[in-house]
Amino acid sequence: MKPRTPASSRVEMTQIVMPTHTNGVGGVLFGGTLVQWIDVCAAVAAMRHCGGSAVTASIDRLDFLVPIRVGDVVVLQAQVNFAGKTSMEVGCRVETEDVRSGERRYTTKAYLTFVAIDADGKPRPIPRLVPHRPEEKRRYAEAEQRRSERLAAAGKADGAPRAAAKRSRTAATSQPSPRSLRSARTRA
């Protein structure tokens, strides 16, 4: 499989905020609508990288920095920041654009994880990601760190379940747990 660059996955998508996209009070864009747009934009970046289908596994960070209002032009940019064996992190940046001046305002950022799937819906291998520019290398390193944090939060370390490591430590110490001691006292 030929390695790919972050630039090869880059996507830019544009939306106009219509009244039906807003909460009605104050004309502010529904957060859920923006999440949907982010997911679509990021999915296209993931599909470009893996050359096929990919599904959203998680959105682990989504920051709404400033409100987006009815009539705003919304520009979403996404690209793959990190690629593992079957999964990849996609970063998505959201800005609003003033069509008169061309000035952009940074409004939202998000990090999503996608898994490439085959025709049977099973995870499949994806190309390596090879960052070239300093900005791409920085994003790759930061994404790799976020991946480690996600795995730790999910109870996995280096891809192995943390519970197995805990069981082996517990077996090595042969100490009963406080719960088993309470249970033994209750039965007595």
Side-chain angles (χ1 to χ4, degrees), residues 82 85 144-165 169:
F82 177 85
K85 292 178 183 169
E144 193 169 31
Q145 178 62 39
R146 283 189 295 271
R147 180 179 187 270
S148 294
E149 292 166 5
R150 280 192 294 272
L151 290 172
K156 298 178 181 180
D158 298 326
R162 190 183 287 174
R169 283 194 307 271

Side-chain angles (χ1 to χ4, degrees), residues 19-31:
T20 56
H21 298 138
T22 67
N23 63 11
V25 181
V28 176
L29 178 67
F30 277 121

